[in-house]
Amino acid sequence: MESVVQGTAAMDVNAPRVYVDEAKGHDESGQGTEAAPYATALGAMLARGPDVSILSRKDEGYEPLSASGVKKAKKLYDMAIKKKQKAAELASQEAERAEQDKKKLEESKKVVLDVPSEPAKRIKICAGVHNRDVRVKVCGWVHRLRSQKDRMFLVLRDGTGYMQCVLQDKLIQTYDALTLTLESSVEMYGTIKALPEGKTAPDNHELVVDYWVCVGKAPGGDDAITNRISENTDPSIQADNRHLMLRGETASAVMHVRAAVMQGFRDEFASSGVMEVTPPCMVQTQVEGGATLFQFDYYGQPAFLTQSSQLYLETCLPALGDVYCVQESFRAEKSHTRRHLSEYTHLEAELAFVTFDDLLSHIEQDICGMVDRVLQNDKVRQLIEQLNPGFQPPKRPFMRLSYKDAIAYLNEHNILNEHGEPHKIGDDIAEAAERKMTDQLAVPILLHSFPREIKAFYMKRVPGDEAFTESVDLLMPGVGEIVGGSMRMTGNEELLEAYKHEGIDPQPYYWYTDQRKYGTCEHGGYGLGVERLLAWLTNRWTVRECSLYPRWTGRCTP
């Protein structure tokens, strides 16, 4: 065979010549000519076959590819061909499987389940332990789903708990079984059986299903719930899809703990003879200052969404005795911190014939009594441990720290105010400094006796130190303030003077002032932010996780 030798490379003059230029060539659009070369030797071989003579671009022009270059290109070519063949085989197999699945789906539409004649007892998942070895009907949503060749496992959720269900034989051959998706709603019939040693499932049992019905199938594919939300989804998207986020184990656990907390408070108040009342949310007076009021038109008159139900609770004392309420409060405060909401659940109480010391003790007892009651419930205690591992109830007595001593502490520990300066008497201690102090002390703190100038008009002055008030904030590590309270002014003239000092027209408050005219008494109360308490109890980063549908600056959906 005649050959042309150039340098160390040999070129078969009978083989087709193709040109390769790494800088200017294109494997996809190249033609193998000098005007339209390929980019690589592999690209040339894939396009024209392995038996070509390759001319590669060099500084001085085109030269035959070296023997080692040809060997390397042919090796890559063989690998690429095998990979292409493998891909074709896989595509063929995939198409065959798709055809089989399509045929299987069509056949599944003919499968009809026989309805058992044996009656089934309708139960909630939480009652499963007490209904083992009994045929039951359980309804819920598919929380998890795992299919095997001969059986299907799913975890059912109904809000009261989770239950593993196992389906076999004809039950997994139906069209609904083959197309079942997460969050579909189903009815399951069967017998609850305890699991053998070594196997685990919620409540250590599973429902052996003998019949089932798909009530509402959730979408799959691109619109599947796992494509809508996840723990790593952007917070704004999570907020837009709060209705779906609530289905997650963490969000639902927080809501279960929230319900237990509210019940715990109600039981604690009932045990001490404090009565629940329901004050109005639409008001024409202010409690915490006009800057944070949501105003609206009420039949041609200005009105507001309530900031607090305190004034109304005070009017209940002579008629009903000690009272409390669980009510939504609204603050038009444009704050984006992790502990602020525009609408929050406000638990407020008012107590008659008490001293300031009585009030502090009452706050401490309400918090600790509620926590003790909640922890008595095994399931709720497990949820708290899940959310906040290692949680320990607060120890009594709570630390009592005066405002003046707090200022001293902040300065001693070089905790500066928001202007980067040492604190001084009269400062309204900022959230960051307050939280840093609380986290350093690492105990609940009853911070008390604030200056009158930074507190509400109705707060009682400290006898003998009139520049300060009998007021208190309860601070919790990790969250900061969760309770604010005080003793209330008892004298009519004193209250009128407070209105004047604040520039408040007393006329709209006539019903509140009357409490001092018609049998005044020493009384005090407090307001507790339920979401803040929950953030502390469940170790949540933000109070937004502790509200069913949180509202904050700019967010009023869904």
Side-chain angles (χ1 to χ4, degrees):
M1 181 181 291
E2 186 179 358
S3 63
V4 176
V5 177
Q6 187 171 340
T8 57
M11 193 166 106
D12 187 347
V13 296
N14 295 319
R17 292 187 180 188
V18 291
Y19 293 83
V20 170
D21 185 338
E22 291 185 2
K24 298 180 180 179
H26 296 279
D27 285 342
E28 297 297 326
S29 60
Q31 299 295 319
T33 63
E34 285 191 69
Y38 295 113
T40 65
L42 174 61
M45 288 185 178
L46 288 173
R48 304 288 288 274
D51 299 321
V52 292
S53 294
I54 299 174
L55 294 166
S56 178
R57 180 75 181 183
K58 304 296 181 182
D59 292 339
E60 300 300 325
Y62 282 95
E63 297 179 4
L65 188 64
S66 67
S68 61
V70 171
K71 184 178 179 181
K72 181 179 179 182
K74 285 190 174 182
K75 185 177 181 181
L76 292 173
Y77 172 80
D78 290 339
M79 291 172 61
I81 292 300
K82 288 180 180 178
K83 186 176 180 181
K84 189 175 181 180
Q85 291 172 343
K86 183 68 174 177
E89 289 175 10
L90 290 174
S92 176
Q93 293 171 3
E94 187 67 30
E96 186 178 345
R97 277 196 298 269
E99 187 61 31
Q100 290 174 350
D101 289 344
K102 183 178 178 182
K103 184 177 179 182
K104 189 176 180 181
L105 274 179
E106 288 302 316
E107 291 295 322
S108 71
K109 294 177 182 179
K110 302 174 185 177
V111 178
V112 178
L113 300 180
D114 299 322
V115 182
S117 58
E118 184 182 352
K121 179 182 179 183
R122 168 80 165 93
I123 67 165
K124 294 286 189 181
I125 288 176
C126 62
V129 173
H130 305 294
N131 287 278
R132 289 179 178 174
D133 301 315
V134 175
R135 188 167 188 268
V136 297
K137 172 186 176 183
V138 184
C139 305
W141 288 262
V142 179
H143 188 67
R144 292 195 188 93
L145 182 61
R146 178 167 56 94
S147 293
Q148 296 179 349
K149 186 175 181 180
D150 60 344
R151 66 190 62 195
M152 182 166 66
F153 293 93
L154 63 85
V155 174
L156 199 63
R157 180 191 74 240
D158 72 349
T160 72
Y162 300 88
M163 179 178 285
Q164 179 169 290
C165 306
V166 58
L167 293 75
Q168 301 181 76
D169 304 325
K170 198 175 180 180
L171 298 179
I172 62 173
Q173 298 170 11
T174 66
Y175 181 81
D176 281 338
L178 295 179
T179 59
L180 192 61
T181 51
L182 292 179
E183 294 305 322
S184 295
S185 51
V186 295
E187 295 176 355
M188 293 285 169
Y189 298 78
T191 306
I192 300 174
K193 295 291 185 181
L195 288 176
E197 193 78 25
K199 292 191 175 182
T200 59
D203 292 327
N204 293 313
H205 60 215
E206 65 184 8
L207 178 64
V208 180
V209 180
D210 59 36
Y211 179 75
W212 72 287
V213 177
C214 182
V215 178
K217 191 166 293 178
D222 292 342
D223 206 26
I225 191 168
T226 50
N227 290 327
R228 292 280 300 275
I229 54 164
S230 72
E231 288 186 1
N232 299 320
T233 303
D234 184 270
S236 64
I237 296 175
Q238 289 185 355
D240 289 338
N241 291 280
R242 179 65 175 169
H243 59 296
L244 299 179
M245 289 296 296
L246 287 170
R247 301 183 182 208
E249 291 180 28
T250 298
S252 62
V254 172
M255 291 302 108
H256 276 289
V257 174
R258 179 185 172 109
V261 164
M262 299 315 301
Q263 188 59 53
F265 271 124
R266 286 188 164 98
D267 291 344
E268 182 64 28
F269 282 123
S271 71
S272 57
V274 184
M275 178 179 174
E276 183 172 7
V277 293
T278 52
C281 283
M282 297 186 292
V283 300
Q284 291 185 304
T285 52
Q286 65 186 51
V287 182
E288 300 293 339
T292 65
L293 284 167
F294 281 108
Q295 185 170 344
F296 64 96
D297 180 83
Y298 187 74
Y299 302 108
Q301 298 180 7
F304 314 100
L305 295 176
T306 185
Q307 301 163 310
S308 166
S309 297
Q310 175 209 317
L311 305 188
Y312 292 96
L313 292 180
E314 288 188 54
T315 69
C316 296
L317 295 177
L320 306 174
D322 297 343
V323 291
Y324 78 98
C325 72
V326 180
Q327 188 71 280
E328 298 305 294
S329 284
F330 305 85
R331 301 286 172 90
E333 183 178 1
K334 293 181 179 177
S335 176
H336 293 273
T337 76
R338 59 189 174 101
R339 69 175 193 171
H340 281 88
L341 291 169
S342 297
E343 176 187 13
Y344 67 98
T345 303
H346 208 175
L347 188 152
E348 299 180 85
E350 286 294 322
L351 312 169
F353 297 102
V354 293
T355 65
F356 188 42
D357 189 64
D358 292 335
L359 178 63
L360 300 185
S361 298
H362 183 91
I363 293 171
E364 180 180 302
Q365 174 57 38
D366 283 344
I367 300 292
C368 294
M370 177 279 293
V371 171
D372 290 344
R373 292 174 187 274
V374 165
L375 294 179
Q376 288 173 9
N377 184 311
D378 290 340
K379 287 201 170 183
V380 177
R381 188 177 66 253
Q382 290 169 11
L383 289 175
I384 293 173
E385 180 63 27
Q386 168 192 323
L387 295 163
N388 189 4
F391 173 79
Q392 294 295 323
K395 294 181 180 179
R396 290 183 266 192
F398 289 174
M399 180 180 187
R400 298 189 180 188
L401 181 69
S402 74
Y403 168 86
K404 294 176 182 177
D405 289 340
I407 293 293
Y409 179 94
L410 293 169
N411 290 333
E412 288 168 8
H413 292 79
N414 198 32
I415 301 175
L416 304 177
N417 64 19
E418 63 268 36
H419 305 297
E421 301 170 349
H423 287 83
K424 61 183 182 299
I425 298 297
D427 283 355
D428 190 356
I429 302 173
E431 176 189 343
E434 184 180 78
R435 183 179 292 168
K436 190 170 184 179
M437 176 183 70
T438 306
D439 290 348
Q440 284 183 1
L441 293 170
V443 293
I445 302 169
L446 288 165
L447 181 60
H448 62 86
S449 305
F450 293 89
R452 61 176 292 186
E453 297 302 328
I454 63 173
K455 283 298 180 180
F457 69 89
Y458 50 77
M459 292 186 178
K460 183 180 177 181
R461 314 295 183 230
V462 174
D465 197 357
E466 300 294 323
F468 295 85
T469 57
E470 290 191 333
S471 53
V472 62
D473 288 348
L474 173 59
L475 312 178
M476 285 296 195
V479 179
E481 179 191 348
I482 66 169
V483 173
S486 75
M487 295 297 289
R488 319 307 192 190
M489 288 181 176
T490 58
N492 188 62
E493 293 304 318
E494 182 185 22
L495 183 57
L496 291 174
E497 183 59 34
Y499 290 143
K500 183 178 179 181
H501 182 269
E502 296 293 327
I504 295 174
D505 179 5
Q507 199 284 324
Y509 294 84
Y510 72 92
W511 50 274
Y512 180 68
T513 311
D514 273 354
Q515 303 309 306
R516 279 74 184 166
K517 278 177 67 175
Y518 294 89
T520 189
C521 73
E522 292 289 334
H523 64 287
Y526 64 90
L528 177 148
V530 171
E531 287 80 9
R532 289 189 183 182
L533 180 137
L534 275 166
W536 162 75
L537 182 60
T538 61
N539 193 31
R540 297 299 92 192
W541 172 251
T542 170
V543 293
R544 296 174 186 179
E545 295 183 56
C546 302
S547 173
L548 188 67
Y549 283 97
R551 302 293 188 241
W552 67 88
T553 307
R555 166 67 62 176
C556 199
T557 55

